[in-house]
Amino acid sequence: MTATGQERTPSANRCPVCGGGAVHGFAQVPDVPVHCHLLMRTREAARAAPRGRIDLGFCRGCGHVFNLAFDPARMRYDEDYENALDFSPHFQGYAASLAQRLVDRYDLHGKTVIELGCGDGAFLRRICRLGDNRGVGFDPGRPPDAAAAEGAPVTILGETYSRKHAGLRPDLVCCRHVLEHVPDPRAFLAEVRAVLGGRSGTALYFEVPNGAFTWRDNGIWDLIYEHFSYFSARSLDTLFRASGFDVVDIHEAYDGQFLGIEARPGDGPGETPAAHGPAPDAPIKAFAQTYREKCDTWRKTLNGLAERGERAVVWGAGSKAVSFLNIFFPPDDGPPAPLPCPVAHVVDINPRKHGFYTTGSGHRIVAPEHLRQAPP
């Protein structure tokens, strides 16, 4: 990672949240896989996967952070994209408590629930079962038959939510871990607001990775090319108010790693936090140095393992692992990994990943049971 103090010109890079031009470039990760979650069938394919650059910009107006080098044309979400977390009991517990809270808070009983970017529909089915609700999921990356409704009336459409769906009249619209991938979040939310029209009683729940966790708590492995945006509570609030929603609540969730926002359609754009002075930038200023220090510590640890001939495994083949492995073991086998790779395998409890390879670094993904045969 490198750091710069370069101010971006307003015409070149305007903030996608508030539209401001005071965007400060502060850190770059020059060579990362474009995708973290594609199922790579061979090591050769994994190591030859497309790579891109992360060039982080900080908006002094609303505090939003985004990738100035992001190219949406390179994004691919199809049946080979696998990022489900539902095999984790800890995550299942979180999803269950969230679904129950939304059902209770918004009296979702016999109502219509829409989920944008629903994936296989697991969360949507959970809400529908809890309140005997009707669910409609939208996900252009999934074919319409990607998930069968089991015990709940759920329909999944392999298309984008748009004004032609205004007749659905939802009581809740939820969207979890999609907005950070969207290259124009304001246009995305403006379309949602237009579809809802005068339905001021419709509740919205959106969830994104918590940018503060990355900058404040040094969650440096969360930097991936797939994420165009890194939201703070301030920038998320700004986005929703500028898009015509009244914000009901913003809170951290999942041990601080997620941000949840609850809102309702408003009468028009409202006053935003960005109107009350520049966003605090202290964590941003320190981040590049923190990133380098954390990487140096891990590089010494991994090199020590290699020197002693010891083997390690990485637990979890999600985006954090892919980010971690590609920093230290890039496909070209060059610096900063001069010693043999001490990481033997990546372990994941998701059976849909077993036998595949991590994008970029090309590590084989195995089941936990494999450790009995080859303990690290």
Side-chain angles (χ1 to χ4, degrees):
M1 162 159 303
T2 59
T4 70
Q6 181 180 0
E7 196 78 27
R8 307 293 169 171
T9 61
S11 59
N13 290 294
R14 303 196 73 86
C15 174
V17 166
C18 71
V23 176
H24 177 73
F26 67 94
Q28 297 85 36
V29 186
D31 189 35
V32 297
V34 170
H35 290 93
C36 289
H37 297 293
L38 286 181
L39 297 174
M40 309 304 293
R41 290 171 170 77
T42 67
R43 187 171 186 268
E44 291 72 24
R47 293 171 68 80
R51 302 179 73 83
R53 180 169 58 92
I54 296 174
D55 185 359
L56 295 176
F58 171 75
C59 173
R60 297 185 187 276
C62 69
H64 190 58
V65 174
F66 61 104
N67 181 9
L68 297 159
F70 185 78
D71 180 3
R74 306 190 72 187
M75 293 294 93
R76 167 189 162 197
Y77 302 104
D78 55 25
E79 62 275 9
D80 286 334
Y81 189 83
E82 175 55 54
N83 67 337
L85 299 175
D86 299 289
F87 293 95
S88 161
H90 182 65
F91 186 81
Q92 284 182 14
Y94 167 70
S97 65
L98 172 61
Q100 187 66 64
R101 186 174 71 80
L102 293 174
V103 167
D104 293 342
R105 179 160 187 171
Y106 296 106
D107 189 22
L108 299 175
H109 295 89
K111 303 291 180 64
T112 298
V113 179
I114 283 177
E115 184 175 12
L116 311 181
C118 66
D120 62 8
F123 185 73
L124 182 59
R125 287 198 299 275
R126 189 185 293 274
I127 286 185
C128 288
R129 287 169 179 156
L130 285 172
D132 193 23
N133 298 303
R134 173 195 176 216
V136 182
F138 291 85
D139 199 321
R142 298 276 177 170
D145 60 350
E150 301 171 358
V154 171
T155 301
I156 296 181
L157 303 177
E159 59 191 73
T160 302
Y161 184 56
S162 66
R163 299 179 205 209
K164 74 177 185 179
H165 303 110
L168 291 174
R169 303 176 63 83
D171 298 283
L172 172 74
V173 175
C174 64
C175 181
R176 300 168 61 239
H177 301 274
V178 172
L179 199 57
E180 66 272 18
H181 297 259
V182 176
D184 191 345
R186 261 184 99 159
F188 180 83
L189 275 184
E191 181 67 10
V192 173
R193 180 66 190 89
V195 177
L196 294 176
R199 289 188 59 80
S200 59
T202 297
L204 283 84
Y205 178 78
F206 277 57
E207 189 174 272
V208 296
N210 182 8
F213 179 82
T214 304
W215 325 124
R216 178 193 67 206
D217 300 331
N218 301 326
I220 69 172
W221 319 122
D222 289 319
L223 296 180
I224 62 174
Y225 189 89
E226 292 176 29
H227 289 179
F228 169 63
S229 286
Y230 298 86
F231 288 96
S232 64
R234 177 184 170 115
S235 69
L236 195 60
D237 187 283
T238 297
L239 174 64
F240 272 76
R241 292 183 190 276
S243 302
F245 292 96
D246 294 335
V247 175
V248 176
D249 180 53
I250 299 179
H251 59 273
E252 293 188 352
Y254 203 60
D255 303 322
Q257 294 188 57
F258 300 163
L259 272 179
I261 183 168
E262 297 173 45
R264 291 190 183 276
D267 295 329
E271 186 179 50
T272 70
H276 300 288
D281 62 357
I284 298 297
K285 288 181 176 178
F287 179 74
Q289 179 64 26
T290 300
Y291 185 102
R292 285 192 294 268
E293 291 173 354
K294 196 166 185 177
C295 286
D296 287 345
T297 298
W298 270 105
R299 188 170 292 113
K300 291 175 183 176
T301 299
L302 293 166
N303 286 347
L305 289 170
E307 288 172 347
R308 295 189 298 272
E310 297 177 342
R311 294 190 309 163
V313 298
V314 169
W315 188 277
S319 58
K320 289 180 174 64
V322 172
S323 177
F324 177 90
L325 290 167
N326 276 275
I327 289 170
F328 303 111
F329 310 110
D332 62 4
D333 293 322
L339 296 171
C341 176
V343 178
H345 298 100
V346 179
V347 180
D348 202 281
I349 60 176
N350 181 349
R352 297 200 288 252
K353 293 185 177 183
H354 297 165
F356 292 93
Y357 295 81
T358 56
T359 309
S361 68
H363 286 78
R364 190 165 182 263
I365 304 170
V366 299
E369 294 75 17
H370 182 85
L371 298 186
R372 296 194 181 103
Q373 307 167 21

